Amino acid sequence: MKRLRFFVLFLVIAGCVEPYEFVVKDPSPSLVVEAYISDKSYNETLAYPSDGRYFTVKLSETGDVTNVRPVPVAGAVVELRSREGETWLYEEGNGGIYTLFDNDFKARKGVQYQLQITLPDEHIYESEWESMPDVNVPPMGDIGFKESQKQVYVMESNQWVLRTKQTVIANVQVPVNTCGEEIHYRWSYAPIWIYVAPLISQADPAYRCWATDPYYLDTYALQTDRSGGYRKDLFDLLTVRNERIFEKFSALVTQQAMTQAYYNFWKEMKDQNEGSPLLDTPPFNLKTNFSSPTGGKKVSGYFGVTAEQAKRWYFDRTQLSYYMPNTLRADCLVVYGPGPPAEECTDCRAYSFGKAVNVKPSWWPQ
């Protein structure tokens, strides 16, 4: 046997979860649409800073089986329209993802937009005409954190047991609301962190990597605000034996202000998935703004138009009020049997919990 991968030592399941099964009222196949546009173009998102974000549409189909992820839809024609007669075509990629490759396109306030989808069977699906919320959204507040604790399941002696773990909770300052109207907020997160391979030289190209994982922090927070002037909790990070914070962790926090109908969709989605260990589940039985004038299959999902802002947050273990050691090297040196250490101990690109590359993002601080 080889040495046991050191990452198993800090493997945890975040939160107390129980098995969850979706109840599909109509078992017939349906088209699932995930799409939005905002008032920030690709070029503007580069300044967040980030690698940039194009607008996408994700298409998939569900069958009559519960707890099964939908199948990507290929060969569709996806078109965005405005009431002013403009049209934009999305380009098909892999996995049912269609992308609007326009560096300057962004939604404009007061303009209505509609998404039209034509499937290979020639059935057409159209969203309702949507526009940005008619409110003046104040500048996004700063991102901070507070120290806390939470109960999580950990593996001990081949059994899952509940333990209290130290965490930090990231939060955002919700600015004072002076517009006199409700603002419906949604915050989502794109994490990235430095991982180093502890058993090789710092001069080796495989020593330092930047890692991402699409399923880590794949959650969101919601808030209907009437007054502002308080901090809103967003997400939490375990601190003990969490290699993501040993060097430098960052999260791009994106804030969207949206219509009440679009907010209600996300609220129902969150309520439906609360306590579910599944990370990528279709929006069953939720209100949709799509219909099919040609009599196509049932549609799930929502097309929204949002007012967007974002800020990047950086964090590492030195910001804690208590000492948190970097345990990577010690874990790699623990011998569980003959053979070399786990590959990620000597090559950061072999990192187990995400995709890791040894090329620093252009926007990453020096």
Side-chain angles (χ1 to χ4, degrees):
M1 293 176 61
K2 292 187 177 181
R3 294 181 184 180
L4 182 66
R5 285 179 152 182
F6 66 93
F7 295 105
V8 176
L9 297 175
F10 54 76
L11 179 63
V12 296
I13 294 181
C16 305
V17 298
E18 298 178 355
Y20 182 91
E21 182 171 304
F22 292 105
V23 180
V24 185
K25 295 178 181 177
D26 183 355
S28 60
S30 67
L31 176 69
V32 179
V33 184
E34 301 174 45
Y36 83 94
I37 58 174
S38 79
D39 59 346
K40 292 294 184 293
S41 68
Y42 170 85
N43 283 337
E44 288 173 311
T45 62
L46 292 171
Y48 279 162
S50 75
D51 293 330
R53 181 268 304 124
Y54 289 108
F55 296 115
T56 62
V57 173
K58 182 178 179 181
L59 300 180
S60 53
E61 288 183 339
T62 65
D64 57 358
V65 180
T66 60
N67 289 352
V68 175
R69 292 184 178 179
V71 178
V73 173
V77 177
V78 181
E79 182 179 81
L80 179 68
R81 302 172 172 180
S82 78
R83 283 283 196 187
E84 299 180 353
E86 305 158 295
T87 59
W88 300 266
L89 283 175
Y90 289 70
E91 182 177 319
E92 182 176 1
N94 297 323
I97 304 296
Y98 297 77
T99 304
L100 179 56
F101 288 112
D102 186 324
N103 290 356
D104 298 310
F105 171 78
K106 60 182 178 182
R108 304 189 303 276
K109 197 168 185 177
V111 176
Q112 292 185 313
Y113 298 89
Q114 182 189 61
L115 193 66
Q116 185 184 83
I117 300 161
T118 305
L119 296 190
D121 62 8
E122 297 186 355
H123 278 298
I124 296 173
Y125 303 85
E126 294 177 341
S127 75
E128 296 175 8
W129 290 97
E130 299 288 344
S131 58
M132 278 190 290
D134 188 22
V135 295
N136 294 318
V137 182
M140 182 177 176
D142 68 284
I143 310 297
F145 75 94
K146 61 184 179 183
E147 295 176 359
S148 185
Q149 294 180 333
K150 70 180 296 186
Q151 288 192 313
V152 299
Y153 279 106
V154 298
M155 178 67 75
E156 295 180 3
S157 302
N158 296 320
Q159 290 185 337
W160 291 109
V161 295
L162 197 60
R163 291 287 183 260
T164 299
K165 294 291 185 178
Q166 292 171 297
T167 67
V168 294
I169 300 176
N171 52 46
V172 62
Q173 178 68 30
V174 179
V176 174
N177 183 348
T178 60
C179 70
E181 299 181 59
E182 290 185 340
I183 302 177
H184 304 287
Y185 288 114
R186 176 179 182 266
W187 294 274
S188 57
Y189 330 109
I192 183 172
W193 57 95
I194 291 178
Y195 169 74
V196 299
L199 299 187
I200 59 171
S201 167
Q202 295 185 22
D204 194 297
Y207 172 73
R208 177 179 286 104
C209 284
W210 284 260
T212 58
D213 179 356
Y215 297 110
Y216 188 64
L217 298 186
D218 186 23
T219 59
Y220 55 89
L222 298 169
Q223 183 72 29
T224 294
D225 176 72
R226 299 172 179 83
S227 60
Y230 55 88
R231 301 200 72 87
K232 168 70 177 179
D233 289 347
L234 299 178
F235 59 87
D236 61 75
L237 299 171
L238 293 172
T239 59
V240 178
R241 307 185 82 87
N242 185 353
E243 85 289 352
R244 299 174 182 89
I245 68 168
F246 286 167
E247 298 293 328
K248 181 70 74 174
F249 174 90
S250 179
L252 180 66
V253 179
T254 300
Q255 172 185 286
Q256 295 176 312
M258 54 188 58
T259 63
Q260 183 172 355
Y262 195 28
Y263 177 90
N264 290 342
F265 170 83
W266 286 111
K267 179 66 167 60
E268 292 176 15
M269 174 79 82
K270 196 174 188 70
D271 292 343
Q272 184 185 84
N273 291 343
E274 196 69 37
S276 172
L278 300 179
L279 296 174
D280 186 16
T281 51
F284 291 121
N285 307 327
L286 303 185
K287 179 177 173 58
T288 180
N289 61 350
F290 281 94
S291 60
S292 176
T294 60
K297 65 188 68 173
K298 178 182 175 182
V299 189
S300 299
Y302 208 99
F303 168 64
V305 185
T306 69
E308 179 180 313
Q309 300 180 59
K311 285 193 174 182
R312 182 165 292 282
W313 179 62
Y314 294 95
F315 181 80
D316 63 69
R317 61 193 174 99
T318 65
Q319 296 171 251
L320 296 168
S321 65
Y322 49 90
Y323 176 64
M324 181 55 58
N326 183 336
T327 58
L328 287 180
R329 181 176 177 82
D331 289 336
C332 278
L333 292 175
V334 175
V335 177
Y336 290 94
E343 189 178 0
E344 51 262 65
C345 293
T346 57
D347 189 340
C348 65
R349 295 165 297 186
Y351 178 60
S352 295
F353 293 116
K355 178 181 179 182
V357 297
N358 60 350
V359 178
K360 182 175 70 173
S362 60
W363 47 263
W364 192 268
Q366 299 296 326

